[in-house]
């Protein structure tokens, strides 16, 4: 029997795990979370059910791992792409845009909804993993308040309300009932005005096409 080195095993496991995650992603898009079975995932990933169970003991563990991977990728993208050296209002607008783009790229139930369907332990695990996104937004809101851009509202609660507002747009976006640019403009305008930013300032942050989209919907 040929000797297999540890790095080769690690690389093999990593590739197999990636295939499993890709399979979950495709199955969620095509048939929804509730209808996915471990057999479906194994078949889509090109492995046996036994092999799949070597990676994930059950469906909740599999879906938890998938959601954590998506959330981690989001956080890394925000850290890379959120602009620096600009106003807090512009950073908040960019954050909302990235959130909405994430909903379109990964049209899956939000972490809280998924966690609730998988039980309290999974919910707690997901809540801990999603927390970095809320912290990023909380920091932006706190920076804006310190700089005098925003009214002094409870930053963490305001961040939670903003994320809930973004999440409420998931189904309309996924179903092509609303467009990304118009939704970004609407949510950004609503949040910034709630934070006390003047309309004239908001208008300098939003692209002119986005402003027209929100104005035409009145």
């Amino acid at each position: 029997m040929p000797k297999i080195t540890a790095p080769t095993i690690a690389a093999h496991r990593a590739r197999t795990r990636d295939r499993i995650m890709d399979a979950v992603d495709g199955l969620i898009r095509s048939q929804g979370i509730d209808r996915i079975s471990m057999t479906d995932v194994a078949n889509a990933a090109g492995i046996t059910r036994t092999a799949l169970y070597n990676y994930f003991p059950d469906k909740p563990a599999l879906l938890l791992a998938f959601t954590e991977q998506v959330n981690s990728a989001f956080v890394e993208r925000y850290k890379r792409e959120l602009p620096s050296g600009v106003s807090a209002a512009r950073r908040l607008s960019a954050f909302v845009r990235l959130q909405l783009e994430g909903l379109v790229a990964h049209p899956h139930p939000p972490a809280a909804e998924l966690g609730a369907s998988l039980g309290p332990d999974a919910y707690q695990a997901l809540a801990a993993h999603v927390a970095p996104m809320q912290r990023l937004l909380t920091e932006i809101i706190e920076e804006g308040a310190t700089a005098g851009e925003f009214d002094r509202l409870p930053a963490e609660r305001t961040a939670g309300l903003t994320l809930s507002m973004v999440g409420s747009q998931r189904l309309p976006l996924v179903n092509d009932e609303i467009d990304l640019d118009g939704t970004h403009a609407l949510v950004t305008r609503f949040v910034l005005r709630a934070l006390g930013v003047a309309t004239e300032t908001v208008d300098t942050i939003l692209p002119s096409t986005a402003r027209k989209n929100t104005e035409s919907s009145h």
Side-chain angles (χ1 to χ4, degrees):
M1 181 176 179
K3 184 177 179 180
I4 300 175
T5 61
T8 301
I9 294 174
H12 170 75
R13 287 187 62 84
R15 284 195 298 269
T16 301
R17 194 180 192 281
D18 287 343
R19 294 212 312 272
I20 293 169
M21 294 293 102
D22 288 344
V24 173
D25 183 60
L27 289 167
I28 289 176
R29 291 173 187 272
S30 63
Q31 62 188 49
I33 281 180
D34 291 337
R35 294 178 58 193
I36 290 178
S37 70
M38 296 292 275
T39 299
D40 293 333
V41 174
N43 289 339
I47 60 176
T48 66
R49 272 189 21 140
T50 300
L52 178 58
Y53 282 115
N54 287 333
Y55 288 83
F56 303 102
D58 50 34
K59 178 178 172 180
L62 173 62
L63 295 181
L64 177 60
F66 174 75
T67 306
E68 288 178 340
Q69 176 174 292
V70 171
N71 286 334
S72 294
F74 283 174
V75 171
E76 289 305 311
R77 185 185 177 199
Y78 295 159
K79 290 179 178 177
R80 278 196 318 271
E81 298 185 20
L82 272 178
S84 58
V86 298
S87 68
R90 290 187 180 278
R91 280 172 58 79
L92 189 147
S93 176
F95 183 97
V96 169
R97 179 74 186 202
L98 289 171
Q99 278 275 309
L100 293 169
E101 289 177 354
L103 294 182
V104 173
H106 296 278
H108 315 312
E113 181 182 321
L114 178 58
S117 71
L118 297 180
D121 291 341
Y123 182 88
Q124 289 300 322
L126 284 172
H129 210 80
V130 172
M133 281 193 287
Q134 181 157 341
R135 282 200 296 271
L136 281 174
L137 182 54
T138 299
E139 289 170 4
I140 293 171
I141 294 170
E142 289 174 340
E143 289 168 4
T146 300
E149 289 184 58
F150 300 158
D151 292 343
R152 286 196 173 276
L153 299 176
E156 187 172 348
R157 290 173 60 192
T158 303
L161 288 170
T162 302
L163 291 173
S164 295
M165 190 183 310
V166 171
S168 71
Q169 304 304 299
R170 178 175 62 89
L171 284 178
L173 277 172
V174 171
N175 294 332
D176 292 324
E177 297 169 8
I178 55 179
D179 70 279
L180 181 61
D181 290 340
T183 304
H184 168 235
L186 178 62
V187 174
T188 297
R189 181 180 295 278
F190 192 97
V191 174
L192 290 181
R193 292 294 289 121
L195 286 167
V197 179
T199 299
E200 295 77 9
T201 302
V202 176
D203 285 343
T204 66
I205 293 169
L206 295 172
S208 58
T209 53
R211 294 203 304 270
K212 289 176 182 176
N213 284 341
T214 55
E215 290 164 1
S216 63
S217 64
H218 294 330

